[in-house]
Amino acid sequence: MGIVLFMGAMAWASVPFYSWFCRVTGFGGTTGVAEAAPDAASDITIKVRFDASLDRMMPWKFEPEQRQMEVKLGESALAFYRSSNPTDRPVAGQATYNVYPYEAGAYFQKIECFCFTEQVLAPGEVADMPVNFFVDPAILDDPDAAHIRHITLSYTFYETDLPEGYAALA
């Protein structure tokens, strides 16, 4: 009985543990979260490409407003994605994200992002969704990541249940 309980507890804890592990290490392209960019930026630049996709059940339109930008390492940058809800009902969504190459995940730091919270768009609503980020200059000290000069930031939006206040409007 103890083994069964232990295995059940391990299965239950595996998802939050894996999520924590990915956030801490950048494994699998998971980005970090920071409060602010470093005080000094490097003269070295890196190109950040932006990608957007939707789960097949998500009715929104979703795309980056810019396909790429060049940023200095350590410099705060602001990019926007545009979402629209072409349906006749409110739709809630949550974005998941990653970066490629995966080695860059530990150095790609988000200060603010639409992906941190659930988004709700009313029928016909269009929203510009910002992501404020920087690439940590420490990437140059990592032998596995120092060669990276292009990073792709990808988002996928999934439909979620409407929050309580919106359910009555549906």
Side-chain angles (χ1 to χ4, degrees), residues 2-165:
I3 292 174
V4 170
L5 288 174
F6 175 75
M7 295 303 285
M10 293 306 292
W12 176 82
S14 65
V15 171
F17 178 74
Y18 182 74
S19 177
W20 169 82
F21 175 78
C22 290
R23 282 193 313 273
V24 169
T25 65
F27 181 77
T30 302
T31 65
V33 177
E35 298 211 5
D39 292 332
S42 168
D43 288 335
I44 297 172
T45 61
I46 196 160
K47 286 186 182 175
V48 178
R49 296 179 182 135
F50 303 97
D51 181 50
S53 63
L54 296 166
D55 176 67
R56 64 184 181 89
M57 301 302 291
M58 177 55 125
W60 287 0
K61 292 181 181 174
F62 176 59
E63 62 188 7
E65 290 193 16
Q66 61 285 311
R67 291 290 171 198
Q68 79 177 20
M69 67 173 50
E70 195 160 325
V71 297
K72 291 181 179 180
L73 295 179
E75 181 179 66
S76 176
L78 184 62
F80 288 89
Y81 283 75
R82 178 163 285 180
S83 296
S84 62
N85 178 4
T87 71
D88 60 355
R89 63 183 175 88
V91 177
Q94 180 70 49
T96 61
Y97 55 88
N98 69 1
V99 298
Y100 182 83
Y102 297 137
E103 296 84 6
Y107 304 101
F108 195 96
Q109 302 291 315
K110 293 181 186 175
I111 299 168
E112 289 185 42
C113 182
F114 62 89
C115 61
F116 294 162
T117 59
E118 181 180 53
Q119 304 294 318
V120 179
L121 294 181
E125 183 178 5
V126 176
D128 290 331
M129 299 180 173
V131 57
N132 186 354
F133 67 92
F134 67 93
V135 179
D136 192 332
I139 195 170
L140 298 173
D141 300 328
D142 183 339
D144 294 327
H147 69 283
I148 296 172
R149 292 297 173 259
H150 294 86
I151 296 175
T152 301
L153 175 61
S154 297
Y155 288 97
T156 302
F157 251 110
Y158 295 86
E159 186 171 359
T160 59
D161 292 334
L162 284 169
E164 261 185 53

